[in-house]
Amino acid sequence: MSAPVLSRTAAAEQVPAVAVRRSKKPSETAWLVLGTVAVLLLAVVSLFVGVSEVSLPQLLAGNAEAWDLLWISRVPRTLAVVLAGTAVAVAGLIMQLMVRNRFVEPSTVGTVESATLGILVVTVVLPAAPIMLKMGVAGVFALGGTALFLAVLGRLPARNTLLVPIVGIMLGGVIGSVTTFFAYKYDLLQTLSNWMIGDFSGVLRGRYELLWLVAALTLAGYLAADRFTVAGLGADFTTNLGMNYKAVMRLGMVLVSLISAVVVTTVGAVPFLGLIVPNIVSLLFGDNLRRAVPWTALFGAGFVLVCDIIGRTIRFPYEVPVGMVMSVLGATIFLTLLLRTRKRNA
């Protein structure tokens, strides 16, 4: 007689637990919706920030000049900011899982510098090359730079948490020095600065559409999220689950390299974004990539929107490139994360 009573009691105890687990899902979904709304509000603010006046009353009154400025300049720029921020942040998350280190991203392992070198080579050899050719060569160079970093990393005797980003920064510095030397030799330093510092001021309709490719690449990263999550646990664990570890790593390298190449070719380098955003998301939501990708995309888009708005208003009517704003904020957060890790390991 006691067995049914115990089973009913156990069932009664399990029902609230299930209800609690179910109640958490709408809560996270609600926060995700609120985050999306916040990014959309920032995007709306971005549409009305600039030297040339575009206001809601002008648009409602049917001002043709205001509508032209909105569709030719403001909307493309805002879309470019959102697409670049989303893709670079997700690329940084994938890179961190590949290397199994929280202090790396495309701009600290030589990937971005290699893409810049590729664009410089095309510019010197084929000055009239179309943008798609430049992007393709930049992607190949970025892939080579990423592979070189992973090869160097594999030869290190021990993977110290702080040693990995230092090696990446040194490698990027060497590649960047070679790029600067040849840019100086061929009188292309001014052109080189356009690729090394992210700037959305030159984005117009017809000059940003290449960034839609990174949206597709980001979606591919989300679809392969479970594979990257497993690969982040190591080669032995991945192989034991019946997955091809090297194939997953190659897929990650291709996604990170192509995203970096497209962004650098279109708007220039966006530093530290792929470093700080994944770390913040990891602290809040853990290391499950499928769960983290939407939040990483939102935080990345929102952070770049905020930096772009700051760059347009801090010295109004002049404009500070978003790459400079992000370098200051990103470097500060990066150093904070490094010091925090050092104190934790002490």
Side-chain angles (χ1 to χ4, degrees), residues 117-128 134 182-183 185-188 195:
L117 177 60
I119 302 174
L120 180 66
V121 170
V122 177
T123 304
V124 172
V125 177
L126 298 171
K134 291 183 178 180
F182 283 104
K185 181 177 180 180
Y186 292 100
D187 196 21
L188 290 172
W195 305 321

Side-chain angles (χ1 to χ4, degrees), residues 94-148:
I94 294 174
M95 173 68 75
Q96 290 176 9
L97 284 176
M98 289 170 54
V99 182
R100 285 182 286 170
N101 190 287
R102 286 293 175 189
F103 299 113
V104 298
E105 62 127 3
S107 67
T108 61
V109 300
T111 303
V112 171
E113 291 81 2
S114 299
T116 306
L117 177 60
I119 302 174
L120 180 66
V121 170
V122 177
T123 304
V124 172
V125 177
L126 298 171
I131 189 69
M132 289 299 294
L133 179 59
K134 291 183 178 180
M135 186 209 73
V137 175
V140 172
F141 272 72
L143 187 62
T146 306
L148 178 60

Side-chain angles (χ1 to χ4, degrees), residues 194-218:
N194 295 330
W195 305 321
M196 298 185 68
I197 301 177
D199 187 10
F200 294 91
S201 62
V203 174
L204 298 171
R205 187 174 62 193
R207 296 182 58 184
Y208 83 101
E209 284 77 7
L210 196 62
L211 285 173
W212 287 109
L213 289 176
V214 300
L217 295 171
T218 303

Side-chain angles (χ1 to χ4, degrees), residues 26 32 34 93 159 168 170 201 210 212 223 226 232 234 243 271 274:
L32 197 60
L34 288 176
L93 180 61
R159 287 194 178 185
M170 292 174 62
S201 62
L210 196 62
W212 287 109
L223 295 176
D226 293 335
M243 293 173 55

Side-chain angles (χ1 to χ4, degrees), residues 77-275:
R77 176 171 184 154
T78 302
L79 288 175
V81 170
V82 172
L83 291 171
T86 297
V88 173
V90 173
L93 180 61
I94 294 174
M95 173 68 75
Q96 290 176 9
L97 284 176
M98 289 170 54
V99 182
R100 285 182 286 170
N101 190 287
R102 286 293 175 189
F103 299 113
V104 298
E105 62 127 3
S107 67
T108 61
V109 300
T111 303
V112 171
E113 291 81 2
S114 299
T116 306
L117 177 60
I119 302 174
L120 180 66
V121 170
V122 177
T123 304
V124 172
V125 177
L126 298 171
I131 189 69
M132 289 299 294
L133 179 59
K134 291 183 178 180
M135 186 209 73
V137 175
V140 172
F141 272 72
L143 187 62
T146 306
L148 178 60
F149 169 73
L150 293 176
V152 172
L153 196 62
R155 293 181 176 274
L156 293 179
R159 287 194 178 185
N160 183 277
T161 303
L162 302 182
L163 180 62
V164 173
I166 292 175
V167 171
I169 292 172
M170 292 174 62
L171 177 62
V174 172
I175 298 173
S177 299
V178 173
T179 305
T180 303
F181 170 77
F182 283 104
Y184 175 77
K185 181 177 180 180
Y186 292 100
D187 196 21
L188 290 172
L189 283 176
Q190 185 65 37
T191 305
L192 180 64
S193 65
N194 295 330
W195 305 321
M196 298 185 68
I197 301 177
D199 187 10
F200 294 91
S201 62
V203 174
L204 298 171
R205 187 174 62 193
R207 296 182 58 184
Y208 83 101
E209 284 77 7
L210 196 62
L211 285 173
W212 287 109
L213 289 176
V214 300
L217 295 171
T218 303
L219 178 61
Y222 176 74
L223 295 176
D226 293 335
R227 296 179 179 273
F228 291 127
T229 301
V230 174
L233 299 176
D236 294 336
F237 187 85
T238 305
T239 304
N240 290 336
L241 291 180
M243 293 173 55
N244 190 329
Y245 177 75
K246 291 184 178 180
V248 176
M249 292 293 287
R250 284 194 293 267
L251 175 61
M253 287 174 55
V254 170
L255 291 177
V256 171
S257 301
L258 290 180
I259 288 174
S260 301
V262 173
V263 173
V264 171
T265 304
T266 309
V267 297
V270 184
F272 293 106
L273 179 65
L275 172 68

